[in-house]
Amino acid sequence: MNIFKNRTYKYLILILITCLIIAVITSRIINSATQVTIPKITFLGEVNFPTRLEFKNTEVGGLSAITYNPEKQIYYAISDDRSSKAPARFYSLKIDLEQDEISEKTVTFTDVTTLLNDTGKPFPALSIDTEGIALIGETLFISSEGDRERQIQPFIREFSLTGKQLQNLPIPEKFIIETNNGVRNNLAIESLTIAPSKKYLFTATENALVQDGEEATFSMGSYCRIIQYDLAKGQPETEFLYITEPIATNSNNVGGFSTNGLVDLLALDDTHLLSLERSFSLATGNVIKLFQINLSGADNIQDIDALNNQITDISPVQKKLLLDFSTLEIVLDNIEGITFGPDLADSQRSLILVSDNNFNPLQITQILIFSYLGSRE
């Protein structure tokens, strides 16, 4: 018997097993760093409010984003009323998910708070277009799209829960409204979310900047930019390319107003988010889709001032469809806001979405309630 030969085989087998173990462990580490479990989302019900609903001498409407305060068990929803029907404001809501069934009594408006500008006064009419809201601690970050036609610049500002303005985050120069550059009118800084780690704030354009490309069409999507802010520094540090879906249609002859855009984001951790897209055309009405996106493999485009001629060289954000709301078989309004709510039974979380009724009597303020079973940070 050749003892040396047997020992050599044993050593080779041992080395092979060790390499396999290392490969498996490395694969799991890489996967855990770049992937989160695809969640299970279950529709629980809806609560609708008619347009022209009055609350504390204001008309409830234009609810474009929503965020949750777990300490107070209350939600804050921003109205995009441009200080026209009442001063710019956000509403406080209670959503009772402990009831046996979801009904009109599930959602209750409890308060309304006026936003104050840097002089401590309500914002003048047509000076603001608030679209995003995100809670951190005892303060709220709120975004405004601005107004290209009136040369009013977009902003992201921090406010107290009493509406007092606290600080202003800098907007990158390429987003500033200029003749051939900047955000598009009503397709600007629509979304706002803060990572659970509280390290980062994310926002995004609803469609492409003027210098980056075209608005979404029936044949192609639009090139949005996601901005990642470092909250400790109060500065934007990274930008990512996000490509929307084309406008949804079931007809080759579509007229009238149509659009599709990235209307909100919801952070799962520092690199994974949910993205909400809303498409509208006369042929389809509102088509709402929810995606899970991964920033980790996307290129940083912060130093690229215009994307039009460089798209093929850029790795965009990866996205995976989680839910096409058309499968819910309900009439959908203009859904624009999303947030997590409190925990439900069986380790599930509540997921709340809200619609912007555009103060249109033919629309409603619609609140959709889901259970969400997925990974956490």
Side-chain angles (χ1 to χ4, degrees):
M1 182 174 66
N2 190 328
I3 297 176
F4 178 78
K5 187 175 182 180
N6 285 343
R7 286 180 177 175
T8 301
Y9 286 149
K10 289 180 180 179
Y11 287 142
L12 288 174
I13 291 171
L14 182 60
I15 291 171
L16 180 60
I17 291 172
T18 302
C19 290
L20 287 172
I21 292 172
I22 292 173
V24 170
I25 292 173
T26 302
S27 175
R28 288 180 177 177
I29 291 173
I30 292 173
N31 286 338
S32 65
T34 59
Q35 298 179 3
V36 292
T37 304
I38 301 301
K40 176 183 178 183
I41 302 174
T42 304
F43 180 55
L44 300 180
E46 63 176 316
V47 180
N48 299 322
F49 295 95
T51 296
R52 294 176 181 161
L53 173 68
E54 293 289 325
F55 179 77
K56 290 192 173 182
N57 298 317
T58 70
E59 181 178 341
V60 176
L63 303 188
S64 295
I66 188 168
T67 190
Y68 180 62
N69 186 334
E71 299 300 323
K72 300 180 183 295
Q73 298 182 1
I74 200 163
Y75 298 81
Y76 307 111
I78 192 73
S79 172
D80 69 359
D81 177 13
R82 302 186 181 193
S83 278
S84 297
K85 295 179 176 294
R89 60 201 179 277
F90 65 86
Y91 291 92
S92 300
L93 302 85
K94 285 281 189 180
I95 301 179
D96 184 1
L97 299 179
E98 296 182 357
Q99 300 176 6
D100 293 335
E101 63 179 9
I102 292 172
S103 68
E104 61 181 13
K105 296 181 180 179
T106 300
V107 181
T108 306
F109 289 91
T110 61
D111 204 0
V112 58
T113 303
T114 299
L115 297 177
L116 305 178
N117 60 22
D118 53 6
T119 67
K121 297 179 180 180
F123 285 85
L126 304 179
S127 68
I128 188 172
D129 183 9
T130 45
E131 296 283 354
I133 189 168
L135 178 81
I136 181 168
E138 288 295 309
T139 64
L140 293 163
F141 280 95
I142 293 174
S143 63
S144 170
E145 287 195 297
D147 189 320
R148 188 172 188 89
E149 294 178 357
R150 294 182 173 84
Q151 293 294 295
I152 297 172
Q153 299 297 345
F155 71 65
I156 301 172
R157 295 177 185 172
E158 187 176 14
F159 293 83
S160 72
L161 294 181
T162 61
K164 181 181 178 182
Q165 186 172 306
L166 302 175
Q167 70 160 320
N168 194 25
L169 293 183
I171 301 296
E173 187 67 28
K174 64 178 76 69
F175 294 78
I176 299 301
I177 296 170
E178 297 177 349
T179 302
N180 296 310
N181 291 276
V183 294
R184 280 187 158 85
N185 206 46
N186 211 34
L187 293 169
I189 299 178
E190 182 84 11
S191 54
L192 211 59
T193 186
I194 293 172
S197 67
K198 298 181 174 57
K199 293 179 182 178
Y200 305 112
L201 177 146
F202 298 95
T203 188
T205 56
E206 186 174 349
N207 264 209
L209 299 177
V210 172
Q211 69 270 27
D212 280 345
E214 300 301 319
E215 299 177 28
T217 67
F218 291 106
S219 60
M220 65 179 294
S222 190
Y223 303 142
C224 305
R225 288 186 188 241
I226 295 177
I227 313 174
Q228 176 179 305
Y229 280 82
D230 183 321
L231 284 176
K233 299 176 181 177
Q235 294 291 327
E237 65 171 15
T238 314
E239 293 174 21
F240 305 97
L241 170 62
Y242 179 101
I243 305 175
T244 73
E245 302 299 293
I247 300 170
T249 181
N250 55 16
S251 170
N252 293 324
N253 298 304
V254 177
F257 174 75
S258 59
T259 187
N260 185 47
L262 173 57
V263 292
D264 211 356
L265 295 169
L266 181 59
L268 302 175
D269 56 36
D270 289 350
T271 57
H272 299 88
L273 300 90
L274 301 181
S275 65
L276 185 67
E277 293 190 27
R278 182 265 295 112
S279 175
F280 175 83
S281 71
L282 294 179
T284 62
N286 291 295
V287 176
I288 313 299
K289 293 182 179 181
L290 184 65
F291 298 86
Q292 182 170 294
I293 65 174
N294 185 352
L295 306 179
S296 59
D299 290 333
N300 182 1
I301 59 172
Q302 187 178 38
D303 294 332
I304 302 176
D305 291 330
L307 298 177
N308 246 330
N309 300 320
Q310 305 186 55
I311 291 298
T312 56
D313 300 324
I314 297 171
S315 295
V317 169
Q318 296 300 302
K319 54 193 281 198
K320 180 179 180 64
L321 179 65
L322 296 184
L323 180 63
D324 182 339
F325 285 55
S326 63
T327 61
L328 302 180
E329 297 183 349
I330 62 173
V331 177
L332 294 165
D333 206 87
N334 179 35
I335 301 295
E336 289 195 350
I338 184 170
T339 188
F340 284 121
D343 289 347
L344 301 172
D346 302 325
S347 302
Q348 297 186 73
R349 308 172 76 178
S350 54
L351 186 67
I352 312 296
L353 293 94
V354 66
S355 77
D356 172 0
N357 69 351
N358 294 307
F359 297 96
N360 184 338
L362 299 179
Q363 293 181 244
I364 55 174
T365 294
Q366 183 177 48
I367 296 175
L368 303 181
I369 302 171
F370 298 81
S371 65
Y372 173 97
L373 182 61
S375 65
R376 304 167 185 247
E377 187 182 41

